[in-house]
């Protein structure tokens, strides 16, 4: 039985794609040998659709690439400036906090009290030295409910070395009857103070307590303290 062109045209797509059976393939090949119409149909299928090549606008492309690159570079530069600024603030803040913020109490083991004595006006005087070679700029005062006053030198986490040849300061406290005040630090209320410690609570060294007899200050001590107060 002769196969019609309509049947072959239905099989041509499968034949073209190579997915038909061997029997269908043989049938198609046998038919198209003598059928110009089906041959033409198969040729159209085998022709590749070739689109015309349009050359890109090289100048426009270069401008677009250059513009994008400049924008990315500018964005990266701004981000870099902002990040560098934030890092600088953090570094400077950390440096100032570690070197300028006096928060670390000086251990009692690193302090030495000398020339503890009583001035002619009844004031208690002493010189506080630091044996670890580090500078101290601040003193913290802590009042206890039992009448104790703790004099605690404090320094930053990263303390600088103490300046060579610099004299250690004198600490003078005047306890006059019921009204007690500090000559060196007038803002510290002295009323009700019965004991004076050097160092933080729990580690402080008792220097003076109410009723304690202290040795009289030497003439050199009196002269130095007078010079300081003048």
């Amino acid at each position: 039985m002769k196969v019609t062109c309509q049947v072959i045209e239905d099989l041509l797509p499968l034949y073209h794609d190579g997915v038909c059976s061997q029997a269908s393939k043989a049938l198609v090949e046998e038919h198209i040998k003598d059928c110009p119409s089906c041959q033409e149909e198969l040729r159209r299928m085998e022709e590749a659709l070739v689109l015309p090549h349009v050359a890109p606008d090289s100048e426009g492309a270069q401008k677009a690439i250059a513009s994008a690159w400049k924008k990315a570079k500018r964005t990266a530069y701004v981000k870099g400036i902002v990040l560098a600024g934030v890092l600088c603030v953090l570094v400077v803040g950390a440096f100032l906090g570690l070197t300028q913020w006096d928060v670390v109490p000086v251990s009692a083991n690193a302090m030495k009290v000398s020339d503890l004595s009583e001035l002619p006006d009844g004031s208690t005087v002493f010189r506080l030295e630091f044996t670890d070679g580090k500078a101290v700029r601040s003193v913290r005062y802590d009042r206890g409910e039992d009448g104790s006053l703790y004099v605690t030198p404090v320094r930053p986490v990263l303390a600088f070395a103490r300046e060579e040849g610099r004299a250690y300061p004198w600490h003078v406290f005047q306890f006059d009857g019921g009204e007690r005040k500090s000559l060196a630090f007038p803002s510290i209320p002295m009323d009700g103070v019965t004991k004076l410690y050097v160092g933080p609570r729990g580690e402080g060294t008792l220097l003076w307590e109410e009723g304690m007899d202290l040795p009289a200050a030497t003439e050199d001590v009196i002269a130095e303290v007078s010079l300081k107060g003048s």
Side-chain angles (χ1 to χ4, degrees):
M1 181 178 68
K2 186 177 179 179
V3 181
T4 64
C5 289
Q6 184 177 1
V7 174
I8 296 302
E9 288 176 358
D10 291 339
L11 294 175
L12 279 179
L14 300 177
Y15 176 82
H16 176 266
D17 294 339
V19 294
C20 64
S21 65
Q22 290 296 325
S24 297
K25 179 180 179 182
L27 185 64
V28 171
E29 291 177 348
E30 181 66 24
H31 177 84
I32 63 177
K33 286 192 303 183
D34 301 317
C35 182
S37 176
C38 290
Q39 290 177 8
E40 179 64 21
E41 183 65 24
L42 179 61
R43 184 186 63 78
R44 284 198 299 266
M45 289 184 180
E46 290 176 344
E47 285 182 349
L49 179 61
V50 180
L51 297 176
H53 178 70
V54 179
D57 183 358
S58 59
E59 183 178 355
Q62 291 177 3
K63 289 182 178 179
I65 294 174
S67 176
W69 183 80
K70 289 180 179 179
K71 182 178 180 180
K73 183 179 179 181
R74 184 165 53 249
T75 302
Y77 178 78
V78 172
K79 288 182 178 179
I81 291 295
V82 172
L83 180 59
V86 172
L87 290 177
C88 287
V89 171
L90 292 177
V91 170
V92 171
F95 176 78
L96 293 177
L98 293 175
T99 60
Q100 304 297 319
W101 191 13
D102 296 322
V103 294
V104 180
V106 179
S107 171
N109 296 329
M111 293 186 288
K112 176 184 177 182
V113 176
S114 62
D115 297 307
L116 176 62
S117 54
E118 183 176 311
L119 295 174
D121 63 357
S123 302
T124 299
V125 61
F126 62 90
R127 171 171 277 168
L128 189 57
E129 304 178 14
F130 304 101
T131 59
D132 58 3
K134 296 181 180 180
V136 173
R137 299 173 305 181
S138 302
V139 178
R140 180 186 300 163
Y141 294 89
D142 184 17
R143 285 285 303 269
E145 295 181 357
D146 61 350
S148 299
L149 175 64
Y150 297 87
V151 180
T152 306
V154 289
R155 56 169 56 127
V157 175
L158 300 179
F160 294 105
R162 185 177 179 278
E163 183 180 344
E164 291 290 339
R166 186 173 183 177
Y168 290 99
W170 290 100
H171 295 265
V172 181
F173 293 88
Q174 182 176 10
F175 305 108
D176 182 17
E179 182 180 356
R180 307 174 189 277
K181 58 183 178 179
S182 167
L183 295 182
F185 304 95
S187 62
I188 306 301
M190 293 290 105
D191 57 302
V193 173
T194 58
K195 295 181 180 180
L196 179 64
Y197 291 86
V198 169
R201 291 196 187 198
E203 299 181 16
T205 301
L206 178 64
L207 296 187
W208 172 89
E209 64 179 337
E210 197 169 29
M212 177 185 290
D213 292 329
L214 296 176
T218 64
E219 293 183 2
D220 291 340
V221 170
I222 295 173
E224 286 193 39
V225 173
S226 298
L227 181 63
K228 171 189 172 184
S230 59

